[in-house]
Coordinates of all heavy atoms in Angstrom, one line a residue:
T133 N 23.6 -27.1 -8.9 CA 22.4 -26.2 -8.7 C 22.5 -25.7 -7.3 O 22.5 -26.4 -6.3 CB 21.1 -26.9 -9.0 OG1 21.1 -27.4 -10.3 CG2 19.9 -25.9 -8.7
I134 N 22.4 -24.3 -7.2 CA 22.4 -23.7 -5.8 C 20.9 -23.5 -5.4 O 20.6 -23.8 -4.3 CB 23.1 -22.3 -5.9 CG1 24.6 -22.5 -6.3 CG2 23.0 -21.7 -4.5 CD1 25.3 -21.2 -6.4
I135 N 20.1 -23.0 -6.3 CA 18.7 -22.7 -6.0 C 17.9 -23.2 -7.1 O 18.1 -23.0 -8.3 CB 18.5 -21.2 -5.8 CG1 19.3 -20.6 -4.7 CG2 17.0 -20.9 -5.6 CD1 19.2 -19.1 -4.5
Q136 N 16.8 -24.0 -6.8 CA 15.9 -24.4 -7.8 C 15.0 -23.3 -8.3 O 14.9 -22.3 -7.6 CB 15.0 -25.5 -7.2 CG 15.8 -26.8 -6.8 CD 16.3 -27.6 -8.0 OE1 15.7 -27.4 -9.1 NE2 17.3 -28.3 -7.8
P137 N 14.4 -23.4 -9.4 CA 13.5 -22.4 -9.9 C 12.4 -22.0 -8.9 O 11.7 -22.9 -8.5 CB 12.9 -23.0 -11.2 CG 13.9 -24.0 -11.7 CD 14.5 -24.5 -10.4
L138 N 12.4 -20.7 -8.6 CA 11.4 -20.3 -7.5 C 10.0 -20.4 -8.0 O 9.0 -20.5 -7.2 CB 11.7 -18.9 -7.1 CG 13.0 -18.6 -6.4 CD1 13.1 -17.1 -6.1 CD2 13.1 -19.5 -5.2
T139 N 9.8 -20.5 -9.3 CA 8.4 -20.6 -9.8 C 7.9 -22.0 -9.8 O 6.7 -22.2 -10.2 CB 8.3 -20.0 -11.3 OG1 9.3 -20.8 -12.1 CG2 8.7 -18.6 -11.3
N140 N 8.7 -23.0 -9.4 CA 8.3 -24.4 -9.4 C 7.5 -24.8 -8.1 O 7.0 -25.9 -8.1 CB 9.5 -25.3 -9.6 CG 10.0 -25.2 -11.1 OD1 9.4 -24.5 -11.9 ND2 11.1 -25.9 -11.3
Y141 N 7.6 -24.0 -7.1 CA 6.9 -24.4 -5.8 C 6.3 -23.1 -5.2 O 6.7 -22.0 -5.5 CB 7.9 -25.1 -4.9 CG 9.2 -24.4 -4.6 CD1 9.3 -23.7 -3.5 CD2 10.2 -24.5 -5.5 CE1 10.5 -23.0 -3.2 CE2 11.4 -23.8 -5.3 CZ 11.6 -23.1 -4.1 OH 12.7 -22.5 -3.8
S142 N 5.3 -23.3 -4.3 CA 4.5 -22.2 -3.8 C 5.3 -21.3 -2.9 O 5.1 -20.1 -3.0 CB 3.3 -22.8 -3.0 OG 3.8 -23.6 -2.0
F143 N 6.3 -21.8 -2.1 CA 7.0 -21.0 -1.3 C 7.9 -20.0 -2.1 O 8.0 -18.8 -1.8 CB 7.9 -21.8 -0.3 CG 8.8 -21.0 0.6 CD1 8.2 -20.4 1.7 CD2 10.1 -20.8 0.4 CE1 9.0 -19.6 2.6 CE2 10.9 -20.1 1.2 CZ 10.3 -19.5 2.3
G144 N 8.5 -20.5 -3.1 CA 9.3 -19.7 -4.0 C 8.5 -18.6 -4.7 O 8.9 -17.5 -4.9
T145 N 7.3 -19.0 -5.1 CA 6.4 -18.1 -5.8 C 5.9 -17.0 -4.8 O 5.8 -15.8 -5.2 CB 5.1 -18.8 -6.3 OG1 5.6 -19.8 -7.2 CG2 4.3 -17.8 -7.1
N146 N 5.7 -17.3 -3.6 CA 5.4 -16.3 -2.5 C 6.5 -15.3 -2.4 O 6.3 -14.1 -2.2 CB 5.1 -17.0 -1.2 CG 3.7 -17.7 -1.2 OD1 2.9 -17.4 -2.0 ND2 3.6 -18.7 -0.4
I147 N 7.8 -15.8 -2.4 CA 8.9 -14.9 -2.3 C 8.9 -14.0 -3.4 O 9.2 -12.8 -3.3 CB 10.2 -15.7 -2.2 CG1 10.3 -16.6 -0.9 CG2 11.4 -14.8 -2.3 CD1 11.5 -17.5 -0.8
L148 N 8.7 -14.5 -4.7 CA 8.7 -13.6 -5.8 C 7.6 -12.6 -5.8 O 7.9 -11.4 -6.1 CB 8.5 -14.5 -7.1 CG 9.7 -15.3 -7.5 CD1 9.4 -16.1 -8.8 CD2 10.9 -14.5 -7.8
I149 N 6.4 -13.0 -5.4 CA 5.3 -12.0 -5.5 C 5.4 -11.0 -4.4 O 5.1 -9.8 -4.5 CB 4.0 -12.7 -5.5 CG1 2.9 -11.7 -5.9 CG2 3.6 -13.3 -4.1 CD1 1.5 -12.4 -6.2
I150 N 6.0 -11.4 -3.2 CA 6.2 -10.4 -2.1 C 7.3 -9.4 -2.5 O 7.1 -8.2 -2.3 CB 6.5 -11.1 -0.8 CG1 5.3 -11.9 -0.3 CG2 7.1 -10.2 0.2 CD1 5.6 -12.8 0.9
G151 N 8.3 -9.9 -3.2 CA 9.4 -9.0 -3.7 C 8.8 -8.0 -4.7 O 9.1 -6.9 -4.7
G152 N 7.9 -8.5 -5.6 CA 7.3 -7.7 -6.6 C 6.4 -6.6 -5.9 O 6.4 -5.5 -6.3
Y153 N 5.7 -7.0 -4.9 CA 4.8 -6.1 -4.2 C 5.6 -5.0 -3.5 O 5.2 -3.9 -3.3 CB 3.9 -6.8 -3.3 CG 2.8 -7.5 -4.0 CD1 2.1 -8.6 -3.3 CD2 2.3 -7.2 -5.2 CE1 1.1 -9.3 -4.0 CE2 1.3 -7.8 -5.8 CZ 0.7 -8.9 -5.2 OH -0.4 -9.5 -5.8
M154 N 6.8 -5.4 -2.9 CA 7.7 -4.5 -2.3 C 8.1 -3.4 -3.3 O 8.2 -2.2 -2.9 CB 8.9 -5.2 -1.7 CG 8.5 -6.0 -0.5 SD 10.0 -7.0 0.1 CE 11.1 -5.6 0.6
V155 N 8.4 -3.8 -4.5 CA 8.8 -2.9 -5.5 C 7.7 -1.9 -5.9 O 7.8 -0.7 -6.0 CB 9.3 -3.6 -6.8 CG1 9.6 -2.6 -7.9 CG2 10.6 -4.4 -6.5
L156 N 6.4 -2.4 -6.0 CA 5.3 -1.6 -6.4 C 5.0 -0.6 -5.2 O 4.5 0.5 -5.5 CB 4.1 -2.5 -6.7 CG 4.2 -3.4 -7.9 CD1 2.9 -4.1 -8.1 CD2 4.5 -2.6 -9.1
G157 N 5.1 -1.0 -4.0 CA 4.8 -0.2 -2.9 C 6.0 0.7 -2.4 O 5.8 1.5 -1.5
L158 N 7.2 0.5 -3.1 CA 8.4 1.3 -2.7 C 8.2 2.8 -2.7 O 8.6 3.5 -1.7 CB 9.5 0.9 -3.5 CG 10.9 1.4 -3.2 CD1 11.3 1.0 -1.8 CD2 12.0 1.0 -4.2
P159 N 7.6 3.4 -3.7 CA 7.5 4.9 -3.7 C 6.6 5.4 -2.5 O 7.0 6.4 -1.9 CB 6.8 5.2 -5.0 CG 7.0 4.0 -5.9 CD 7.1 2.8 -5.0
Y160 N 5.6 4.7 -2.2 CA 4.7 5.1 -1.1 C 5.3 4.9 0.3 O 5.3 5.8 1.1 CB 3.3 4.4 -1.2 CG 2.8 4.5 -2.6 CD1 2.9 3.4 -3.5 CD2 2.1 5.6 -3.1 CE1 2.4 3.5 -4.8 CE2 1.6 5.7 -4.3 CZ 1.7 4.6 -5.2 OH 1.2 4.7 -6.5
M161 N 5.9 3.7 0.5 CA 6.4 3.4 1.8 C 7.7 4.2 2.1 O 7.8 4.8 3.2 CB 6.7 1.9 1.9 CG 7.3 1.4 3.2 SD 6.1 1.6 4.6 CE 5.1 0.1 4.3
Y162 N 8.5 4.3 1.1 CA 9.8 5.1 1.3 C 9.5 6.6 1.6 O 10.0 7.2 2.5 CB 10.7 5.0 0.1 CG 12.0 5.8 0.3 CD1 13.0 5.4 1.1 CD2 12.1 7.1 -0.3 CE1 14.2 6.1 1.3 CE2 13.2 7.9 -0.1 CZ 14.3 7.4 0.7 OH 15.4 8.1 0.9
R163 N 8.6 7.2 0.8 CA 8.3 8.6 1.0 C 7.6 8.8 2.3 O 7.7 9.9 2.9 CB 7.6 9.1 -0.2 CG 8.4 9.2 -1.5 CD 7.8 9.9 -2.7 NE 8.7 9.9 -3.8 CZ 9.6 10.9 -3.9 NH1 9.7 11.8 -3.0 NH2 10.5 10.9 -4.9
S164 N 6.7 7.9 2.7 CA 6.0 8.1 3.9 C 7.0 8.1 5.1 O 7.0 8.9 6.0 CB 5.0 7.0 4.1 OG 4.0 7.1 3.2
I165 N 7.9 7.1 5.1 CA 8.9 7.0 6.1 C 9.9 8.1 6.1 O 10.2 8.7 7.2 CB 9.7 5.6 6.0 CG1 8.7 4.5 6.3 CG2 10.8 5.6 7.0 CD1 9.3 3.1 6.1
D166 N 10.3 8.5 4.9 CA 11.3 9.7 4.8 C 10.6 11.0 5.3 O 11.3 11.8 6.0 CB 11.7 9.8 3.4 CG 12.8 10.9 3.2 OD1 13.9 10.8 3.8 OD2 12.5 11.9 2.5
T167 N 9.4 11.2 5.0 CA 8.6 12.3 5.5 C 8.5 12.3 7.0 O 8.6 13.3 7.7 CB 7.3 12.4 4.8 OG1 7.4 12.5 3.4 CG2 6.5 13.7 5.3
G168 N 8.2 11.1 7.5 CA 8.1 11.0 9.0 C 9.4 11.3 9.7 O 9.5 11.9 10.7
M169 N 10.6 10.9 9.1 CA 11.9 11.2 9.7 C 12.2 12.6 9.6 O 13.1 13.1 10.4 CB 12.9 10.3 9.0 CG 12.8 8.8 9.4 SD 14.3 7.9 8.9 CE 13.8 6.2 9.5
R170 N 11.6 13.4 8.7 CA 11.9 14.8 8.6 C 11.4 15.5 9.8 O 11.9 16.6 10.2 CB 11.3 15.4 7.3 CG 12.0 15.0 6.0 CD 11.3 15.7 4.9 NE 11.7 15.2 3.6 CZ 11.3 15.6 2.4 NH1 10.3 16.5 2.4 NH2 11.7 15.1 1.3
T171 N 10.3 15.0 10.4 CA 9.7 15.7 11.5 C 10.4 15.4 12.8 O 10.0 16.0 13.8 CB 8.2 15.3 11.6 OG1 8.1 13.9 11.9 CG2 7.5 15.5 10.3
V172 N 11.3 14.6 12.9 CA 12.1 14.3 14.1 C 13.5 14.6 13.9 O 14.1 14.5 12.8 CB 11.9 12.8 14.5 CG1 10.4 12.5 14.8 CG2 12.4 11.8 13.5

Side-chain angles (χ1 to χ4, degrees):
T133 301
I134 301 176
I135 301 177
Q136 294 293 334
L138 295 180
T139 55
N140 288 358
Y141 51 99
S142 59
F143 180 75
T145 304
N146 287 338
I147 294 176
L148 286 182
I149 197 168
I150 290 173
Y153 286 155
M154 288 176 62
V155 173
L156 295 181
L158 186 61
Y160 309 98
M161 182 65 80
Y162 176 80
R163 291 187 176 276
S164 295
I165 294 175
D166 185 62
T167 302
M169 288 190 180
R170 290 182 189 178
T171 63
V172 298

